Amino acid sequence: MKPVVLAGGTGSRLWPKSRAALPKQFLALTSDKTMLQDTILRLPADKMELPLFICNEDHRFMAAEQLRVANINYDSIILEPVGRNTAPAIALAALRAVQQGEDPVLLILAADHLISDHSAFHAAVDKATVLANEGKLVTFGVVPSEAHTGYGYIKSGESVNDIGFEVAEFVEKPDLATAKEYLASGKYYWNSGMFMFKASVYLRELSEHAPAIFAACTRAMENTDKDMTFIRVDAEAFAKCPDDSIDYAVMENTSDACMVPLDAGWNDVGSWTSLWETSENKDASGNVVIGDAILDGVTNSYVNSEQRLIAVIGLDDIVVVETKDAILVANKNKVQDIKNVVNQLKAEKRPEFEFHREVFRPWGSYDAIDNGTRYQVKRISVKPGEKLSVQMHHHRAEHWIVVSGSANVTVGDKTKLVTENESVYIPIGQVHALENPGKILLELIEVQSGSYLGEDDIVRFSDRYGRVESKK
């Protein structure tokens, strides 16, 4: 089978850790690996073809780097120019599979779910494979552990080969009373958002039940641009595609939908409360503590510190999350209202909506460690062999001081090697470039000064990463 990992989300429910530029699938929240890495590493490698990934254009280098670091081999990363929900995203993957002259069984996975019991998950995948090879469109229904109101549900129908069930009905998120009825009946399962089917079967059903999506995705895949391991689809064609989920577009309409029960410690990690609930590291008072924290008289709480000491006294059922540039304090039962904060940040165009203080780029990262009215200080890290774009600024000058490693610095038509404790000055309007020619990480301090210090003050002349946006 061929895993297809949907990694295009830009969720905000785990702010301030999750940001638009660094959503939760790229964070290490449930283990020492990121959620994207865990999604592949939990699969039975001996039964898998090389996986396909679908992600946002802006996240492409982050996805590729995380796969490289985890030694995960893959087919390619398909880039969505705009988000169009799960039905079109899966269509792109299915079309890619058949274009390669194959018709594999596709295992559709979200990049940001937790599955703690890998053996039980593998067993469910094996059962689903049998049904998928018979032409069924399989979804995984999570055996409910409580009357949860945050998930959609699947009602099971008649048994299919003593492996799964026909799908009798998909139902929306219920109120509490209805959820309790579902739980008591024993016929309802949580909708996991994971699926399995042959590529050709999905495309056939999509063309029948959602022909506009099928047509738009087919056109988008007829004119692709291969860039390293990235596949860029035709942006104009894909932008015309209807926005719809696989549930609405296909699964609720096909006569071949069936469900395999899944009891494997699944969780969609949709909130900080979910992370508290699923943690196996609670102390005697029911607290989960990550990082440097002192708790006194605190119970049933989640405290996550990134770099500073957090002290909490005499509180119950709270969430405290600290990052370099923001702190969240919330009642554990009100974390769903984080969206109100995120919406306000977005409306006010505050950087905390999109970026962390430390921003990752394909060449490395930069951390904005200080700023004032007409100056900004950054710590810049450049990976060995990598190079920033050849660029120029209209409104700021820059002073670079190398802290460790060595840098090839080009200013105008002159290039020189700058080593530890040496510095170089780049005047306003001067074309320049920075490259790490060494074998170790290059670290330098950048002091910017000028009338405007925004990241969009860049004129890029050339860039080895194919970036066209005005970002450093």
Side-chain angles (χ1 to χ4, degrees):
M1 75 190 71
K2 192 174 194 68
V4 175
V5 181
L6 306 180
T10 57
S12 59
R13 292 180 293 175
L14 291 177
W15 187 90
K17 289 283 189 181
S18 179
R19 312 277 175 102
L22 187 65
K24 69 172 181 175
Q25 61 266 30
F26 300 110
L27 299 173
L29 295 171
T30 59
S31 75
D32 60 350
K33 301 286 193 302
T34 68
M35 302 197 77
L36 175 70
Q37 293 167 335
D38 274 340
T39 300
I40 290 298
L41 294 175
R42 71 169 64 106
L43 296 174
D46 59 326
K47 298 179 181 179
M48 299 292 161
E49 296 183 14
L50 291 179
L52 269 169
F53 294 86
I54 317 287
C55 85
N56 186 299
E57 171 89 16
D58 291 340
H59 300 148
R60 65 195 186 279
F61 293 112
M62 195 175 343
E65 176 66 9
Q66 291 194 1
L67 297 174
R68 185 195 66 80
V69 169
N71 294 315
I72 296 172
N73 295 320
Y74 58 96
D75 180 324
S76 52
I77 301 174
I78 300 175
L79 304 178
E80 291 182 297
V82 291
R84 285 295 181 264
N85 216 313
T86 54
I90 297 167
L92 297 179
L95 288 163
R96 164 70 175 172
V98 298
Q99 283 178 357
Q100 293 174 308
E102 303 174 356
D103 187 16
V105 169
L106 304 179
L107 174 59
I108 311 300
L109 302 167
D112 56 358
H113 290 177
L114 168 67
I115 297 176
S116 57
D117 188 340
H118 295 178
S119 295
F121 176 55
H122 295 172
V125 167
D126 287 342
K127 292 179 179 179
T129 304
V130 174
L131 297 176
N133 277 316
E134 293 178 356
K136 300 295 185 182
L137 291 92
V138 186
T139 184
F140 294 85
V142 176
V143 178
S145 58
E146 61 176 311
H148 207 296
T149 60
Y151 299 138
Y153 283 70
I154 304 168
K155 184 180 181 181
S156 60
E158 296 296 321
S159 175
V160 179
N161 298 345
D162 294 323
I163 294 176
F165 300 92
E166 294 179 351
V167 173
E169 185 183 11
F170 288 91
V171 293
E172 298 292 335
K173 298 174 183 178
D175 58 28
L176 183 58
T178 304
K180 288 180 177 179
E181 292 177 6
Y182 290 169
L183 186 65
S185 74
K187 294 184 177 181
Y188 288 83
Y189 298 75
W190 294 339
N191 188 347
S192 70
M194 299 187 297
F195 305 89
M196 184 186 286
F197 34 67
K198 282 192 169 184
S200 62
V201 171
Y202 178 72
L203 293 173
R204 181 195 71 208
E205 295 294 310
L206 185 69
S207 65
E208 178 180 347
H209 301 294
I213 293 177
F214 176 80
C217 290
T218 299
R219 287 193 295 270
M221 288 297 289
E222 286 173 347
N223 183 26
T224 60
D225 178 23
K226 192 85 161 55
D227 175 13
M228 296 184 288
T229 57
F230 305 120
I231 295 177
R232 288 186 173 85
V233 304
D234 187 304
E236 183 178 353
F238 193 70
K240 296 177 180 177
C241 183
D243 184 321
D244 209 352
S245 71
I246 181 177
D247 300 75
Y248 288 126
V250 174
M251 297 301 290
E252 293 187 3
N253 299 304
T254 180
S255 58
D256 288 318
C258 61
M259 181 203 70
V260 168
L262 176 66
D263 190 2
W266 174 90
N267 193 288
D268 74 343
V269 194
S271 69
W272 289 113
T273 300
S274 295
L275 282 170
W276 174 82
E277 290 171 344
T278 58
S279 175
E280 299 178 354
N281 297 315
K282 296 184 180 72
D283 64 18
S285 299
N287 300 310
V288 176
V289 177
I290 299 172
D292 191 7
I294 296 175
L295 276 56
D296 184 12
V298 177
T299 55
N300 303 315
S301 295
Y302 181 94
V303 180
N304 188 318
S305 169
E306 185 170 299
Q307 67 170 15
R308 285 170 286 193
L309 168 66
I310 295 177
V312 185
I313 302 172
L315 295 175
D316 178 54
D317 281 336
I318 63 159
V319 169
V320 181
V321 180
E322 178 262 354
T323 66
K324 291 180 179 179
D325 61 349
I327 298 174
L328 167 73
V329 181
N331 184 294
K332 205 170 68 194
N333 299 315
K334 293 288 186 179
V335 291
Q336 70 274 11
D337 293 335
I338 288 175
K339 63 180 181 294
N340 299 332
V341 174
V342 173
N343 288 339
Q344 183 173 340
L345 291 172
K346 183 177 182 180
E348 295 176 1
K349 298 182 178 179
R350 292 191 54 151
E352 294 90 346
F353 163 73
E354 185 172 5
F355 296 107
H356 281 271
R357 200 185 77 179
E358 183 175 14
V359 178
F360 293 92
R361 295 295 189 217
W363 44 260
S365 64
Y366 66 84
D367 188 353
I369 58 180
D370 192 18
N371 64 83
T373 305
R374 290 181 57 88
Y375 76 91
Q376 184 167 227
V377 181
K378 293 181 178 179
R379 183 176 64 245
I380 295 178
S381 301
V382 185
K383 294 180 288 188
E386 301 298 335
K387 180 181 180 179
L388 281 68
S389 59
V390 178
Q391 58 187 250
M392 179 267 286
H393 310 295
H394 287 295
H395 304 288
R396 71 173 185 251
E398 296 178 338
H399 195 140
W400 295 340
I401 305 98
V402 175
V403 176
S404 65
S406 58
N408 270 337
V409 177
T410 301
V411 180
D413 58 359
K414 295 181 180 180
T415 299
K416 69 174 182 177
L417 184 68
V418 183
T419 58
E420 293 180 10
N421 298 318
E422 295 181 340
S423 63
V424 64
Y425 175 70
I426 297 97
I428 292 176
Q430 182 67 69
V431 176
H432 60 281
L434 171 67
E435 182 177 13
N436 180 359
K439 302 295 185 182
I440 64 172
L441 189 70
L442 164 63
E443 294 188 290
L444 57 89
I445 300 299
E446 176 184 83
V447 181
Q448 302 176 356
S449 60
S451 59
Y452 179 73
L453 305 174
E455 283 301 312
D456 55 351
D457 178 24
I458 293 179
V459 177
R460 184 175 281 115
F461 298 97
S462 66
D463 179 67
R464 64 171 58 173
Y465 311 107
R467 294 171 297 169
V468 294
E469 72 275 16
S470 295
K471 293 180 180 178
K472 188 166 186 177

